[in-house]
Amino acid sequence: MTAADFKTLSIGFVIELCIARLELAAGREDRSEETYLKMRDILPVVIERFERGEIGEERYTEWMDKYMRLEGMYGFEYND
């Protein structure tokens, strides 16, 4: 990441990225990128199950909130 990237990134994203980097430097293992990739793979299934009523509104909203947060952190790296 360079200073030029800061023009296109939100301050929230930059703060989350800095925190993640500091945690990694402190020896904590971060698996959020791996979690994002797994969630991305099952996203269509989750949406389908919600639309069929197999997943409740609260559980779906919590899952989507987490997915969207991770999408904001890692999604730009995995555009297909």
Side-chain angles (χ1 to χ4, degrees):
M1 180 180 299
T2 66
D5 295 323
F6 286 94
K7 288 185 178 183
T8 58
L9 302 175
S10 71
I11 188 67
F13 174 82
V14 173
I15 290 170
E16 293 241 355
L17 181 64
C18 291
I19 290 170
R21 297 266 169 114
L22 288 171
E23 287 177 346
L24 286 174
R28 296 183 193 151
E29 191 171 350
D30 181 17
R31 296 195 184 276
S32 58
E33 184 174 6
E34 182 179 318
T35 300
Y36 165 69
L37 292 173
K38 289 177 182 177
M39 291 178 82
R40 185 183 73 159
D41 287 343
I42 65 167
L43 177 63
V45 175
V46 171
I47 293 171
E48 182 181 318
R49 290 185 66 197
F50 172 70
E51 290 173 349
R52 287 193 310 224
E54 296 175 16
I55 297 175
E57 178 93 25
E58 184 178 342
R59 189 169 169 206
Y60 175 77
T61 302
E62 288 173 6
W63 192 92
M64 287 302 289
D65 287 346
K66 182 176 181 176
Y67 175 78
M68 295 305 290
R69 182 179 58 79
L70 293 172
E71 175 84 31
M73 292 173 62
Y74 301 108
F76 68 94
E77 294 179 8
Y78 296 99
N79 289 331
D80 295 342

